[in-house]
Amino acid sequence: MTQVSENKVFGGRHVQYRHQANSLACDMRFAIFLPPQASENHKVPVLYWLSGLTCTDENFMQKAGALRIAAELGMAIVAPDTSPRGEAVPDDADNSYDFGHGAGFYVDATEEPWSAHYQMYTYIRDELPTLIEQHFPVTGEKVISGHSMGGHGALVLALRNPGLYRSVTAFSPICNPSTCPWGEKALSNYLGEDKTAWQQYDASILMVKLEQDQHIPALVTQGGDDEFLEQQLKPDTLVAAAKGNDYPLSYELQPGYDHSYYFISSFIEQHLRFHARHLGLA
């Protein structure tokens, strides 16, 4: 790993690193916040945060207002980039914001030319946590959260890997990507036209299939004035799936809030404290 930057904040450390990601076959950057409690003699649990379309590791760390609460709770936060990047990594020919660079959708691509680099599911589930646990004073206890495309990724990773995370939360997640324009574009390109292959990355479908002993606590917060609510996000499908399977999902629709980081910063403390309870920190 190569350190890119470091800042002291709320008694802890926010550090950016660059490293060679084997699963993505390119250099990747991530940011980690280590709270003041973290030391060689005291390891802390980790929240993995997955950001949305066009974002990098910087958006959440700089805009969400999460670090003060994480410092209080004794929780590390890891924020990866949203896709592989670099001159050798293929990008959308039209340079659109919702596919290619900045839009990895947290899937393992099977279609060329994407499959050589766009293995974000494996990177987030396996490679990055292994790296974090080898080099930083953290435990193996993990929770996961995200926003929009990242909310989709957080839900999918949690639902597909029972027992890997203690809890999952999401802000404005893409709940049913198999049936929305963002998801249809990304999944058809990364995975091909066979829609049965898409189901493994659709939280509303995955939630219906889980056995009762595979359920973990989940919280989803959605802005009522989100411009993408009806066409792209479709939270009603996730709520219906949870009800149909008695899944412990808490869903909150917050009137007047949009899709921005103003919305995330308004409710991030609630999400961090939700995770802290399930990590035994509060």
Side-chain angles (χ1 to χ4, degrees), residues 1 8 12 16 18 21 32 34 40 44 89 95 113-114 133 161 163 186 188 199 202 211 223 232 241 270 281:
M1 295 190 302
K8 186 171 183 178
Q16 287 179 310
R18 186 173 298 280
I32 183 169
L34 292 166
E40 291 185 5
V44 298
V89 177
N95 294 317
W114 319 106
E133 290 166 24
N161 298 280
S188 63
Q199 295 181 7
D202 191 311
E211 301 293 334
Q232 302 282 15
Q270 177 193 14
L281 297 177

Side-chain angles (χ1 to χ4, degrees), residues 170-252:
F171 291 86
S172 313
I174 303 171
C175 295
N176 193 201
S178 297
T179 64
C180 76
W182 279 341
E184 290 172 346
K185 179 178 180 178
L187 298 180
S188 63
N189 279 285
Y190 290 138
L191 305 176
E193 296 298 334
D194 181 2
K195 292 188 177 182
T196 59
W198 303 4
Q199 295 181 7
Q200 63 185 314
Y201 297 108
D202 191 311
S204 294
I205 295 173
L206 293 169
M207 190 169 278
V208 172
K209 297 180 178 180
L210 282 181
E211 301 293 334
Q212 295 289 320
D213 62 356
Q214 297 176 319
H215 294 178
I216 65 169
L219 168 65
V220 170
T221 306
Q222 172 65 56
D225 282 6
D226 191 320
E227 63 182 302
F228 305 113
L229 178 58
E230 299 298 330
Q231 185 179 27
Q232 302 282 15
L233 306 179
K234 301 190 174 184
D236 290 347
T237 61
L238 189 71
V239 172
K243 288 181 178 177
N245 196 16
D246 293 324
Y247 194 94
L249 170 68
S250 296
Y251 173 72
E252 297 181 353

Side-chain angles (χ1 to χ4, degrees), residues 10 43 52 54 85-86 141 152 169 177 196 205 211 245 251-252:
F10 295 111
K43 296 183 177 182
T54 74
R85 298 181 194 262
E141 293 184 319
H152 140 77
T169 69
T196 59
I205 295 173
E211 301 293 334
N245 196 16
Y251 173 72
E252 297 181 353

Side-chain angles (χ1 to χ4, degrees), residues 111-161:
E111 299 295 299
E112 294 183 355
W114 319 106
S115 57
H117 296 280
Y118 285 78
Q119 303 292 311
M120 286 295 293
Y121 176 83
T122 293
Y123 176 70
I124 299 298
R125 185 189 65 181
D126 300 327
E127 183 172 1
L128 184 59
T130 298
L131 185 75
I132 297 298
E133 290 166 24
Q134 285 176 345
H135 292 278
F136 300 99
V138 300
T139 69
E141 293 184 319
K142 299 183 282 289
V143 295
I144 192 165
S145 186
H147 171 232
S148 194
M149 178 186 73
H152 140 77
L155 289 168
V156 166
L157 279 150
L159 294 171
R160 285 185 58 179
N161 298 280

